[in-house]
Amino acid sequence: MDGTLLDTEKIYFDSLVAALDAAGYVDDSVALCHAMVGLPGPACEAMLLERYGKGFPLADINRAFLLNRDRLMEAGLPLKSGTIELLDALATANCPTAIVTSSSRRNAERHLSLAGIRARFGTILTLDDVTHGKPSPDLYLLAASRLGFAPKLCVAVEDSNHGVAASHAAGAITIMVPDMALPTEETRAKCAAVLPDLNAVVTMLYERGAL
């Protein structure tokens, strides 16, 4: 969802960097936030506590992050290029789809609604549905089960290294459309393709006969 269909990762990134900088944690805030891209909230919080110690004001940083995020989102929640084209192509082909996100159920529902695409999905799997979020494969395994297909028959479209690790570990055919984090060599090896945008995903699915 975030960074793949919705252009939200930069909003999250800028909001957290601003919260850390305002609290005086300026030395490596940018690098640390880059390492968090694609991870669920609890994992990000664990990274912050590990980096800055038990005295880190996590609750204050979270409040500042949310204030920054909501302020930026007031201007609207944009879609990534090719989102509507991909969803239209999948709908035309009667292809079942699922959202598989590290976000909470509340945030997923809110953000998909703000972006105007909530009604496109009957199956939405979030961090609230599993014990272990990405890069664990649990969310993708659950999504495949809900859709009624073996994971190896499913195509996962991901934007982050952690997301690719999750879908690949589940056994899904993985396409990466990088957002903020460029793929590592290890990530590239796990992908059927690394493409520039979702329009390229649509083209590839047609060329391979998937649609």
Side-chain angles (χ1 to χ4, degrees):
M1 184 182 74
D2 293 309
T4 302
L5 300 177
L6 311 183
D7 199 5
T8 47
E9 286 292 1
K10 191 173 189 307
I11 292 176
Y12 296 156
F13 180 87
D14 290 345
S15 298
L16 183 53
V17 169
L20 290 170
D21 288 354
Y25 299 91
V26 298
D27 291 343
D28 58 355
S29 59
V30 171
L32 185 61
C33 290
H34 267 298
M36 295 179 184
V37 173
L39 287 176
C44 295
E45 292 179 353
M47 288 178 68
L48 288 167
L49 291 173
E50 181 179 358
R51 171 62 184 86
Y52 297 118
K54 293 183 178 179
F56 179 73
L58 183 59
D60 293 338
I61 295 297
N62 274 336
R63 278 192 291 270
F65 163 76
L66 292 174
L67 286 172
N68 293 336
R69 182 201 67 184
D70 291 345
R71 175 178 55 80
L72 290 172
M73 283 187 176
E74 286 177 3
L77 213 170
L79 296 171
K80 298 289 287 187
S81 175
T83 292
I84 296 302
E85 290 79 2
L86 175 60
L87 296 181
D88 283 349
L90 293 170
T92 298
N94 292 317
C95 183
T97 58
I99 288 286
V100 180
T101 177
S102 291
S103 290
S104 66
R105 169 74 52 181
R106 178 182 178 184
N107 282 342
E109 295 283 355
R110 177 172 180 262
H111 294 171
L112 290 168
S113 296
L114 284 173
I117 60 172
R118 172 61 184 88
R120 298 273 194 154
F121 298 95
T123 302
I124 298 178
L125 283 306
T126 75
L127 187 61
D128 297 337
D129 296 303
V130 293
T131 301
H132 303 291
K134 301 174 186 179
S136 163
D138 293 7
L139 273 170
Y140 273 106
L141 292 171
L142 181 59
S145 175
R146 292 281 179 87
L147 293 177
F149 292 92
K152 67 180 181 180
L153 300 178
C154 298
V155 174
V157 183
E158 273 286 353
D159 69 285
S160 71
N161 291 294
H162 295 301
V164 168
S167 58
H168 180 265
I173 302 165
T174 302
I175 299 173
M176 185 180 189
V177 178
D179 184 33
M180 294 193 65
L182 294 176
T184 64
E185 288 305 311
E186 181 181 2
T187 294
R188 285 184 178 275
K190 295 175 180 177
C191 295
V194 177
L195 301 175
D197 55 39
L198 295 178
N199 287 304
V201 174
V202 175
T203 298
M204 181 179 182
L205 292 177
Y206 276 120
E207 288 176 346
R208 299 296 177 89
L211 296 175

